Amino acid sequence: MIKKVLHTSDWHIGRKLKEHDRYEEFKKFFDWLEDLINTENIDTLLVAGDIFDNTNPSVQAQNLYYSFLSKITKSSSCRHVVITSGNHDSPAFIDAPAELLKLCKIHVIGCACENPADEVIELRDDSGNLELVVCAVPFLHDKDVRTVTADDDFHAIDKALSDGIKSHYEKVFAKAQEYSQDLPVIAMGHLFVQGGNYNKDEGVRSLYVGTAVQISTEIFPKFLTYTALGHLHSPQFVGRENIRYSGSPIPMTFGETERKKSVCILELDGKNLTNIKQVPVPIFQRLERVSGSLDEIYAKIKKLAEENISIWLEVSYTGENIIADLQKNLNDYAKDFPLIEILSVQDLNTKREIDKFYDIHVENGLDDFSPEKIFEEILAHKDFSDNDKTEFMTMYKEILHDIDTGDAK
């Protein structure tokens, strides 16, 4: 029987930080994860979506992914791997090697199945005995759960999406319940569950057009041994201890710098979940935020340099004086500290002047200001009715969504 299951998600292989490649971090994470699987004698690995950071991953990103899978299936205790797609992934790309990977006991579900019951995966031991059932639900795209009509407003879209997602999961769980008397049943999902917490600058992308579609924990029946979620980057449980986001293993933005990263290990005794252990993920590349006047920033950089490790910085200048060559001044100063690299500079003094000029306010520097937020600020200062503003925002999100998914004509 399966005794230990490891839950992780939101790898985002190929993610850059301010145009800096992070392949070395991903490689170190996979080396660490392989060691953890061996040390903890993990039987089953679950990866709940956002394997890659975009729908067309680079060759280097693919090499990291397949190399890791190859290693753990050859030389580790891990006997089963189940991987589902997230909103950043190409479902077809994840599914493409499915038949080949299945020979190595690696199950991938990229596209939502026409019959949701087909997302119920039976994991068997070498003797053919059933030992664990996994409800491997991928990220559900609009087209998977609702029929588009020209007359739909954003309220109708949200309701249709919410109802479609619930219906899909209900059909999966109806099949899975057949096993629940004798076996552990684990659900996987990549979605926003009500009660989940995230910081707006964590780099979590909106899932759907319209208002935020959030699903209640009530859709996860009590017979489930555990629910392994992906999408939110902070590790947390939602509603019940056994409904969890594992979070991303490395910080995807400077906004995640202060948040500890981890993976979850589930300990099973037969069909019963006996323990959930959060295992901290080491920091493979130090990220720091510093702010203040120019002299204060210089002092903080010098102090960080004393630690003699590689540090990437986001700098926010809050001084009163306008400095025309702020970026150059900071980079010139940092040259004396080869392990310190400034990736982002936010001139909050200049931003304040821009705010006054345009009579708008942004909380962070324009460097991290999303197109959606910019459009929202523009609408807020235009003389449109609330209904018109809502309609314009919905249309704008649809455009962004089409561009992001490659559906734009």
Side-chain angles (χ1 to χ4, degrees):
M1 293 295 288
I2 287 175
K3 294 183 178 180
K4 285 190 175 182
V5 177
L6 192 150
H7 164 210
T8 178
S9 71
D10 296 275
W11 290 350
H12 290 276
I13 310 171
R15 180 73 165 238
K16 293 185 176 184
L17 185 61
K18 308 299 180 183
E19 301 309 312
H20 277 56
D21 286 328
R22 308 181 72 181
Y23 292 117
E24 188 61 29
E25 284 177 85
F26 290 116
K27 183 182 183 304
K28 289 178 180 178
F29 165 66
F30 287 129
D31 289 344
W32 173 83
L33 188 58
E34 181 188 358
D35 288 342
L36 180 67
I37 287 170
N38 287 320
T39 302
E40 290 280 349
N41 292 315
I42 299 298
D43 300 298
T44 302
L45 172 66
L46 307 179
V47 191
D50 281 353
I51 311 305
F52 299 101
D53 193 55
N54 57 63
T55 57
N56 186 28
S58 68
V59 171
Q60 196 167 355
Q62 295 177 54
N63 284 341
L64 285 169
Y65 174 60
Y66 289 115
S67 175
F68 169 72
L69 293 181
S70 174
K71 288 177 182 177
I72 64 169
T73 53
K74 283 181 184 175
S75 60
S76 78
S77 59
C78 190
R79 296 186 284 112
H80 306 286
V81 180
V82 183
I83 298 170
T84 57
S85 66
N87 58 301
H88 280 251
D89 297 310
S90 162
F93 184 89
I94 297 296
D95 271 342
E99 292 304 313
L100 185 60
L101 291 176
K102 196 178 293 184
L103 297 175
C104 303
K105 293 192 174 181
I106 300 172
H107 303 268
V108 296
I109 303 278
C111 300
C113 296
E114 186 174 345
N115 178 6
D118 291 340
E119 291 164 14
V120 178
I121 297 175
E122 298 179 344
L123 301 183
R124 298 180 180 274
D125 63 21
D126 292 338
S127 300
N129 299 311
L130 188 57
E131 53 184 353
L132 176 65
V133 173
V134 178
C135 303
V137 183
F139 171 68
L140 299 174
H141 293 264
D142 292 22
K143 62 182 177 58
D144 299 324
V145 295
R146 74 178 182 96
T147 302
V148 179
T149 63
D151 295 331
D152 284 352
D153 60 17
F154 72 96
H155 291 298
I157 290 172
D158 276 355
K159 187 176 188 310
L161 276 171
S162 181
D163 290 346
I165 292 168
K166 290 175 186 175
S167 175
H168 187 99
Y169 273 92
E170 285 170 359
K171 291 172 183 175
V172 174
F173 296 146
K175 174 65 176 176
Q177 191 168 14
E178 299 173 10
Y179 304 92
S180 62
Q181 289 292 87
D182 306 308
L183 293 162
V185 179
I186 294 178
M188 298 174 68
H190 194 92
L191 70 168
F192 197 154
V193 176
Q194 286 178 2
N197 295 311
Y198 77 102
N199 190 301
K200 63 183 181 305
D201 58 354
E202 278 186 7
V204 175
R205 182 187 296 171
S206 296
L207 288 175
Y208 298 105
V209 175
T211 59
V213 174
Q214 298 183 31
I215 304 300
S216 168
T217 55
E218 292 178 1
I219 71 165
F220 303 114
K222 296 292 178 62
F223 72 76
L224 292 173
T225 308
Y226 181 84
T227 299
L229 297 175
H231 182 53
L232 300 187
H233 291 178
S234 298
Q236 59 191 285
F237 72 89
V238 187
R240 304 196 294 268
E241 283 278 352
N242 65 339
I243 302 176
R244 287 183 177 253
Y245 287 98
S246 63
S248 59
I250 66 175
M252 297 298 152
T253 68
F254 281 102
E256 296 181 39
T257 301
E258 301 299 324
R259 295 181 179 268
K260 295 180 180 178
K261 300 299 183 178
S262 62
V263 298
C264 293
I265 293 179
L266 322 177
E267 297 178 2
L268 301 173
D269 182 6
K271 70 183 293 289
N272 299 313
L273 176 62
T274 59
N275 188 40
I276 302 173
K277 179 167 64 174
Q278 275 189 267
V279 180
V281 177
I283 297 172
F284 304 112
Q285 172 61 58
R286 177 89 166 268
L287 306 181
E288 288 288 346
R289 283 173 150 175
V290 297
S291 63
S293 66
L294 197 58
D295 287 341
E296 289 170 336
I297 291 169
Y298 286 164
K300 291 174 181 178
I301 290 175
K302 184 176 181 180
K303 186 171 180 59
L304 286 171
E306 293 172 0
E307 298 187 38
N308 202 34
I309 60 172
S310 173
I311 300 177
W312 290 354
L313 287 184
E314 178 185 78
V315 176
S316 296
Y317 172 69
T318 60
E320 294 299 322
N321 298 323
I322 294 176
I323 301 177
D325 297 321
L326 177 62
Q327 179 94 47
K328 183 179 183 303
N329 287 345
L330 290 167
N331 288 337
D332 287 346
Y333 182 77
K335 285 179 182 177
D336 292 333
F337 310 104
L339 292 178
I340 301 292
E341 189 169 2
I342 300 173
L343 270 59
S344 173
V345 175
Q346 300 183 17
D347 187 344
L348 300 187
N349 179 295
T350 302
K351 183 194 73 65
R352 282 193 299 270
E353 297 304 314
I354 293 173
D355 288 352
K356 291 176 186 176
F357 183 80
Y358 288 106
D359 192 28
I360 65 171
H361 173 69
V362 296
E363 293 185 18
N364 298 307
L366 296 177
D367 190 39
D368 285 330
F369 212 41
S370 70
E372 184 178 314
K373 183 64 177 173
I374 291 172
F375 192 72
E376 187 178 292
E377 287 287 343
I378 292 170
L379 285 180
H381 291 81
K382 296 294 183 181
D383 189 22
F384 297 128
S385 70
D386 289 344
N387 286 339
D388 284 345
K389 288 179 180 179
T390 300
E391 185 174 351
F392 288 146
M393 179 55 75
T394 299
M395 293 166 63
Y396 185 68
K397 286 182 178 180
E398 288 174 346
I399 293 168
L400 290 181
H401 183 269
D402 287 346
I403 293 171
D404 192 40
T405 58
D407 292 337
K409 304 299 182 184

